[in-house]
Amino acid sequence: MGLQITKEQVTAMAPDSSSAKNGQKLSAMKNWQNLGQNEQALWGECRGSAIYQVKVDAATLTATCSCPSRKIPCKHGLGLLFLVASTPDALPTTDPPEWVEAWLTRRAEAAKRKEAAPKKSASVPSQKAVEKRKALVDKGIERLDLWLSDLVRNGLGGADTQPQAFWKSVDDIAKQMVDHQASGLANRLRRLTEIPGSSPDWPKQLLAQCGKLALLSEAYRNIDRLHPALQEDVRQLIGWTLKEDEVLARGEKVADDWFFLGQIQITADRGVTQRTWMIGRQTKRPAMISQFSLNGTAFSQVYPTASVQQAEVVYWPGAAPMRVVLASRNGALQPLTEHLPGTESIDHFLGQVAQILALQPWQDYFLCVLNTVIPFYEHETGHWWIRDAQNKVLPLAKGNYWSLLALSGGYPIDIACEWNGATLTPLGALIEKRYHSIVREGV
Amino acid sequence: MNKLITTAIVGTGQIPQPDITTGTPVDTLSQQLSGDIERKLLLTAGVLSNYQQAGQKAPENTVSFSPAPPERLPVFAPASSALETIITNSQKEHFKGLLLDACRQLQAHKLILPFHLMPQVLNPGLTHQNRIQLRYHLAAVLGERGRWLSQFYPEWSWVATYQALHEQDPTTLHTLWQEEGQSFRHEVLRRVRAIEPDTAREWLQTSWNEEKAEARALFVSVLSDQLSEKDLPFLEKAFSDRSARVCGEIAKLLVRIPQTAFARKVYEQAPEFLTIANGTCKIHTLSDIGEPWLTPTKNQPTNATVQLLALVPPRIWEERTGLTPEGIINSAEGTRTMLIEILAAATILHRDVRWSRALLDRFYREDDMDMLRMSSEVVVELCELIPAEEAEAYMERVLTARGFWLYVLPTLPQPWSENLSARILDTVRSQSTQNRFWREQLDLFAAGIAPSYLAQAIETLQQAKEQVKEGYYIESALEKTIEAIQIRKNLIEELP
């Protein structure tokens, strides 16, 4: 059986809507020649202004094309994937032509070289550099604490009555945190500006977030008294980022069949952060891959949602590890058709959240996989809910979910969401053995 | 938390002795804190936030609702996104008519729309030039799930209403007739008239006095289908209506039943207004026609005369003058446009096939400028009176005459026949540089071309696109049309 992929998945891989549209246009058979696939790859030659040779790695769906486009994947790569999605039989299983064979050989050799290369020990900065940075961060923490104290001394009400002054003040302190190499704190501070006026209980939320910042600075000041795993979290939250090789060297490795459940994209000042949520079939462990795209550039990796793949992930060190790096992808991508490894009880899920918070109090987002729950809409209030068999409910994030309701038809479904402590943002739902990505609707 | 929030909002600097207790076990921790009050407040708030988040309990909701009933027809499970593309783009000009076509295709194959696409067609933002027709066909493919879904949003209540039309349950239809808006009631009455003519008339008779004039005129025209002597008592009574418009509609019905007093009167009176002597036709505009509902006005003195003469079956003029239709058409002097208008309207009203042929023959003569003034709607109505093959032969003649078909094509029912589609594509090939043609008619192609000619249409338009030397607009319009045709083709190929 060749690669199984849906149009929905391919669309989600496109770097922008115009690429998706152009890719779709190129998916007509008449644009292609010398199509084929084997276990490792799929390929074809696209007839455009010239003939472009397109190859796609079957395990990672990484597309490579001879065209000059800098987009990843380019429209030709997307075109080939759209073609596979719409007409799976269009690519015969055959021996690869020379140009694909050469590409596969190069990739195999590169992989072998990487494997054979002596493992680089995770780069360790000099003691002097560490001391210098620590001093800088310490200074930053002092400024943050001062700013927080000033904020509550003068009253949070100012955030509502003088919003511009508040935004400027937050922006200034966030910039100072960047200058003091505490970018994690800067990001948390910038999120404060979204709170005033966002809901009736915004003062409570603003105070809670300021309180969590204070807790973080307090934890950092007393880091030696914390459990080593939590020390890792605190350092990362402040802004001591880990490089991928460090994660690979120190993190917990977990091999499983990973369900790619969906993605959340958050637009920030300079780019877009993407969180790809996964869950392991056997381990039932949640995992999240975070990617950042700067100024509209493509994300470096493609993770097609609604798929299952055998892979090994490595968790970022921490007290309640969630973020992972995908170390190796070992099998072909398969469509997600089976029961999601979740829980049937909302109370049970909230209990899991409590356990995570007990270990890592600054965790903001959680994967919520619920089985046999019913989505419904309350017309009187305009609210959307998920209800379990015990009639316990959790609200869905602001927006409309008519497609979800239409798909469920009022029957129990399996659903994957991201929980932010207040609302669920649906990622996808498994209905009649088909996983549907759920998009929040405007109407 | 309230005290804590209040203190934080006002500011610790504004409160002499701020109270930061929370009434929770968090207070035990905060009592151990040292440092200034601001720091204590912040740390207390941070811990309390975690305490509350960790102890969060989900509320209960026991509102009951039934799940959707099982479908009676299979759900269409397309492999490609053609149907979704048609729905998403249904507001775009070059996709005009494709949603209606898709619904008809699914309906013909006894299939239900995929569930996840239903909200898009239910949305109140969806507009269409023929909303009743579109909703009627949508209702057929929305199935049980669509009806279930529509209960959650008041603006979607039309689904149940239109589905009742398909079910043709007499009780439901009667409720709809009593409760719905004017245009929908017209649709209900039309459908009931087709299956139970007497019932439709009885419904109308019962509500007649309560209807507004506009509604009376609209509803009574429904009786033109399956008109019979059984309708006479009602029509003759209703003919005394105060509204000239209502009387005009009733007159069109009465005149079709020759034994009515009104028909006899019109046939006898007609020669007073139109005389043909020595091959010359004259229309006389009189100040008093003798019908209270037909009073000539100062601004349009001839209207009443034209309206009356349009009620006279064209064969009457043949009988009275001994002339052929051709001879009568040629007899007008100075009033030829008016005569053609009268004859065409009368031909359509009395469904006279012979006269339809005569008028169409003249219409397609390129040199007859008076005939060209006939509206495209009238031409199409005349074509509908003759057999389809014959009508298409006329269309072919139109297509060969440059420019003529621009007027006719928008009024033709879609999709066009294979023969007409082939001829249209031939014309495209021969007139590929006619800018006006591209601009004005391309939007009709996607839904108009017969299914078996879609591949050829794509090829033809591709060739035309390659020949376009200048004009981004034309090139772009061609590209969009090709895309829309391709999508329709994909959908049709996917159907079982």
Side-chain angles (χ1 to χ4, degrees):
Chain A
M1 186 187 283
L3 179 72
Q4 293 180 55
I5 190 164
T6 65
K7 185 218 150 215
E8 221 175 22
Q9 290 171 315
V10 183
T11 307
M13 288 163 57
D16 49 55
S17 58
S18 69
S19 296
K21 197 174 171 191
N22 291 332
Q24 190 127 28
K25 275 187 195 164
L26 286 172
S27 68
M29 270 298 280
K30 63 174 184 174
N31 297 317
W32 294 90
Q33 61 187 33
N34 296 330
L35 289 161
Q37 63 176 318
N38 63 11
E39 280 183 3
Q40 296 158 288
L42 31 150
W43 59 85
E45 289 177 335
C46 186
R47 288 189 293 263
S49 47
I51 297 227
Y52 297 115
Q53 294 177 327
V54 188
K55 298 132 328 202
V56 178
D57 186 314
T60 62
L61 295 188
T62 312
T64 315
C65 181
S66 59
C67 80
S69 171
R70 285 182 299 165
K71 289 185 179 177
I72 303 171
C74 68
K75 62 181 179 181
H76 309 102
L78 289 166
L80 183 60
L81 288 166
F82 273 124
L83 175 62
V84 177
S86 63
T87 324
D89 300 335
L91 275 68
T93 304
T94 178
D95 291 333
E98 204 184 316
W99 54 274
V100 179
E101 189 74 71
W103 175 69
L104 287 171
T105 310
R106 277 199 307 275
R107 282 176 73 84
E109 282 169 0
K112 213 181 271 176
R113 274 200 305 275
K114 198 177 170 188
E115 194 74 24
K119 293 275 179 261
K120 268 201 296 183
S121 57
S123 50
V124 181
S126 69
Q127 188 60 30
K128 196 178 165 190
V130 171
E131 289 299 327
K132 193 178 166 193
R133 182 170 181 188
K134 193 174 171 302
L136 208 56
V137 172
D138 287 349
K139 214 169 185 179
I141 294 281
E142 265 176 45
R143 293 200 173 191
L144 172 71
D145 287 344
L146 204 62
W147 182 83
L148 284 168
S149 291
D150 282 349
L151 187 67
V152 288
R153 187 177 300 114
N154 296 325
L156 297 181
D160 191 37
T161 53
Q162 293 174 305
Q164 283 182 342
F166 176 69
W167 293 336
K168 190 179 177 311
S169 168
V170 173
D171 192 47
D172 286 347
I173 186 70
K175 279 178 184 162
Q176 286 182 47
M177 291 304 108
V178 173
D179 293 344
H180 287 86
Q181 298 196 350
S183 56
L185 291 174
N187 291 340
R188 278 190 167 261
L189 279 161
R190 287 199 177 99
R191 293 207 315 249
L192 295 181
T193 56
E194 297 162 12
I195 301 174
S198 63
S199 66
D201 70 340
W202 70 263
K204 181 182 169 184
Q205 288 180 34
L206 185 58
L207 179 60
Q209 290 309 317
C210 290
K212 284 193 173 186
L213 270 167
L215 274 184
L216 187 54
S217 81
E218 195 70 18
Y220 185 73
R221 284 171 184 274
N222 297 287
I223 197 159
D224 295 339
R225 291 164 59 192
L226 303 178
H227 185 279
L230 190 57
Q231 287 182 21
E232 297 274 6
D233 286 313
V234 170
R235 285 167 60 82
Q236 286 166 41
L237 288 164
I238 296 287
W240 299 78
T241 51
L242 287 182
K243 288 187 178 151
E244 200 173 298
D245 54 354
E246 281 183 87
V247 178
L248 291 172
R250 292 169 46 206
E252 182 192 4
K253 295 176 177 63
V254 179
D256 204 340
D257 292 329
W258 290 96
F259 291 35
F260 290 86
L261 298 170
Q263 281 151 354
I264 301 273
Q265 291 194 351
I266 311 289
T267 305
D269 288 347
R270 292 177 303 138
V272 180
T273 301
Q274 183 194 64
R275 292 192 289 272
T276 302
W277 285 103
M278 310 179 331
I279 194 163
R281 177 188 275 145
Q282 284 86 28
T283 58
K284 283 194 168 195
R285 282 186 68 171
M288 185 267 290
I289 300 170
S290 182
Q291 290 196 95
F292 185 70
S293 144
L294 191 66
N295 298 328
T297 53
F299 289 110
S300 60
Q301 291 294 321
V302 168
Y303 303 110
T305 53
S307 303
V308 189
Q309 191 173 36
Q310 201 180 59
E312 185 180 72
V313 302
V314 183
Y315 281 90
W316 246 252
M322 198 81 82
R323 187 176 173 190
V324 296
V325 58
L326 204 51
S328 62
R329 297 159 89 164
N330 305 321
L333 283 158
Q334 298 292 335
L336 204 166
T337 55
E338 62 187 275
H339 182 72
L340 301 181
T343 173
E344 290 191 359
S345 156
I346 285 176
D347 279 346
H348 184 244
F349 163 68
L350 291 177
Q352 290 174 334
V353 170
Q355 283 174 15
I356 294 170
L357 286 170
L359 295 166
Q360 209 276 56
W362 297 279
Q363 185 66 41
D364 294 313
Y365 306 104
F366 307 83
L367 179 64
C368 172
V369 180
L370 294 168
N371 302 119
T372 56
V373 290
I374 300 174
F376 71 99
Y377 175 65
E378 217 172 38
H379 182 252
E380 298 73 27
T381 59
H383 289 156
W384 288 85
W385 302 91
I386 293 288
R387 180 162 76 189
D388 68 10
Q390 286 75 45
N391 290 325
K392 291 291 176 68
V393 292
L394 284 180
L396 296 187
K398 211 171 178 181
N400 276 321
Y401 304 93
W402 294 112
S403 293
L404 175 64
L405 188 66
L407 282 165
S408 81
Y411 294 98
I413 57 166
D414 287 2
I415 192 165
C417 307
E418 185 185 82
W419 171 249
N420 65 1
T423 57
L424 292 166
T425 299
L427 301 166
L430 188 82
I431 297 159
E432 290 179 0
K433 297 196 170 180
R434 190 179 157 199
Y435 190 81
H436 300 263
S437 292
I438 303 297
V439 181
R440 195 182 337 186
E441 300 151 26
V443 178
Chain B
M1 185 75 172
N2 284 342
K3 277 189 223 162
L4 203 65
I5 296 171
T6 310
T7 307
I9 292 173
V10 176
T12 50
Q14 314 297 318
I15 302 171
Q17 284 187 318
D19 180 0
I20 59 162
T21 56
T22 63
T24 69
V26 172
D27 292 342
T28 318
L29 284 175
S30 50
Q31 278 161 15
Q32 296 170 37
L33 290 170
S34 57
D36 56 33
I37 187 70
E38 288 79 22
R39 188 70 180 167
K40 281 183 189 171
L41 185 146
L42 283 161
L43 292 174
T44 304
V47 174
L48 184 66
S49 162
N50 270 312
Y51 173 76
Q52 288 180 327
Q53 200 182 345
Q56 193 171 1
K57 292 278 178 206
E60 269 196 32
N61 186 313
T62 52
V63 172
S64 65
F65 57 89
S66 309
E71 291 298 338
R72 286 176 280 187
L73 296 173
V75 179
F76 179 46
S80 86
S81 58
L83 181 58
E84 191 170 352
T85 309
I86 287 171
I87 291 172
T88 312
N89 293 289
S90 61
Q91 309 275 18
K92 291 184 182 162
E93 280 298 307
H94 56 289
F95 274 79
K96 200 195 289 181
L98 283 195
L99 179 55
L100 184 61
D101 177 73
C103 289
R104 282 179 174 149
Q105 297 279 358
L106 291 185
Q107 208 181 338
H109 286 82
K110 297 193 184 309
L111 289 167
I112 297 296
L113 206 64
F115 296 154
H116 70 286
L117 296 180
M118 288 181 174
Q120 290 186 62
V121 298
L122 287 168
N123 275 340
L126 184 72
T127 54
H128 192 270
Q129 56 183 1
N130 192 348
R131 202 161 75 155
I132 287 188
Q133 196 188 8
L134 179 61
R135 285 187 166 181
Y136 177 74
H137 290 285
L138 275 171
V141 297
L142 280 165
E144 296 292 338
R145 186 64 58 97
R147 193 204 307 246
W148 176 85
L149 191 62
S150 69
Q151 70 179 314
F152 293 98
Y153 199 64
E155 291 197 42
W156 296 347
S157 60
W158 61 267
V159 177
T161 312
Y162 278 74
Q163 284 189 343
L165 270 187
H166 286 279
E167 284 159 16
Q168 298 199 338
D169 168 51
T171 317
T172 317
L173 287 173
H174 194 229
T175 310
L176 296 176
W177 163 251
Q178 288 173 316
E179 293 177 358
E180 290 299 321
Q182 182 174 302
S183 27
F184 192 78
R185 291 178 69 209
H186 174 249
E187 189 65 20
V188 172
L189 195 66
R190 214 172 58 77
R191 290 181 188 280
V192 174
R193 179 72 175 176
I195 48 173
E196 285 184 54
D198 295 345
T199 307
R201 188 189 59 249
E202 283 157 20
W203 286 3
L204 182 57
Q205 206 167 348
T206 310
S207 68
W208 186 254
N209 292 333
E210 290 146 33
E211 308 289 358
K212 288 182 179 167
E214 187 193 346
R216 291 201 299 278
L218 181 68
F219 295 155
V220 82
S221 68
V222 168
L223 301 191
S224 99
D225 182 28
Q226 310 209 45
L227 183 68
S228 74
E229 286 176 26
K230 285 186 193 173
D231 299 314
L232 267 182
F234 166 64
L235 290 175
E236 283 180 332
K237 193 177 170 196
F239 201 32
S240 58
D241 202 285
R242 282 181 301 175
S243 159
R245 196 172 152 197
V246 175
C247 290
E249 289 299 329
I250 296 173
K252 283 185 198 167
L253 300 171
L254 288 174
V255 83
R256 282 174 52 198
I257 308 172
Q259 60 270 40
T260 61
F262 177 72
R264 281 199 301 275
K265 185 179 161 190
V266 168
Y267 296 178
E268 283 164 17
Q269 204 181 3
E272 292 174 32
F273 304 108
L274 193 150
T275 53
I276 300 172
N278 303 322
T280 305
C281 161
K282 278 188 183 163
I283 297 170
H284 312 280
T285 305
L286 299 185
S287 56
D288 182 14
I289 290 173
E291 285 295 330
W293 58 276
L294 263 182
T295 311
T297 58
K298 267 188 187 172
N299 293 338
Q300 294 174 311
T302 56
N303 270 9
T305 314
V306 170
Q307 215 180 330
L308 184 79
L309 289 173
L311 297 172
V312 181
R315 62 175 171 75
I316 296 283
W317 308 117
E318 288 179 72
E319 287 165 13
R320 290 186 186 273
T321 61
L323 291 171
T324 60
E326 180 85 352
I328 294 170
I329 294 167
N330 287 336
S331 68
E333 243 185 26
T335 54
R336 201 151 172 275
T337 312
M338 195 191 291
L339 179 66
I340 289 163
E341 187 188 336
I342 290 166
L343 292 171
T347 300
I348 292 164
L349 177 65
H350 293 280
R351 301 173 186 187
D352 192 319
V353 175
R354 211 163 48 82
W355 266 87
S356 175
R357 285 192 184 109
L359 285 162
L360 286 167
D361 275 340
R362 292 302 302 250
F363 176 74
Y364 293 126
R365 283 189 199 165
E366 285 184 58
D367 57 340
D368 198 334
M369 294 313 288
D370 289 328
M371 292 300 292
L372 273 181
R373 293 199 180 94
M374 206 151 65
S375 76
S376 52
E377 284 82 3
V378 169
V379 174
V380 171
E381 283 189 78
L382 290 172
C383 282
E384 282 170 359
L385 297 177
I386 58 177
E389 283 175 15
E390 208 179 316
E392 285 203 346
Y394 280 116
M395 285 299 159
E396 283 189 37
R397 285 164 63 181
V398 171
L399 293 172
T400 55
R402 219 174 82 176
F404 279 24
W405 69 308
L406 297 177
Y407 300 108
V408 180
L409 216 48
T411 59
L412 292 177
Q414 292 179 320
W416 305 318
S417 71
E418 290 189 349
N419 198 24
L420 185 59
S421 300
R423 298 297 299 148
I424 287 170
L425 293 178
D426 283 347
T427 312
V428 171
R429 280 188 280 270
S430 63
Q431 297 185 11
S432 61
T433 53
Q434 295 287 321
N435 287 0
R436 193 174 166 214
F437 156 71
W438 298 128
R439 266 202 312 274
E440 296 184 6
Q441 304 306 326
L442 264 180
D443 291 343
L444 302 171
F445 274 48
I449 297 287
S452 53
Y453 275 80
L454 292 174
Q456 207 182 100
I458 292 168
E459 196 183 323
T460 305
L461 294 178
Q462 286 282 14
Q463 284 165 3
K465 194 181 142 205
E466 280 157 25
Q467 285 166 15
V468 173
K469 295 279 185 291
E470 52 190 28
Y472 168 78
Y473 178 86
I474 298 164
E475 209 176 330
S476 159
L478 275 167
E479 200 172 300
K480 286 176 181 171
T481 306
I482 293 167
E483 181 197 1
I485 295 175
Q486 183 64 54
I487 284 164
R488 177 163 169 240
K489 184 170 171 279
N490 292 350
L491 175 67
I492 291 170
E493 285 168 359
E494 277 185 2
L495 289 163

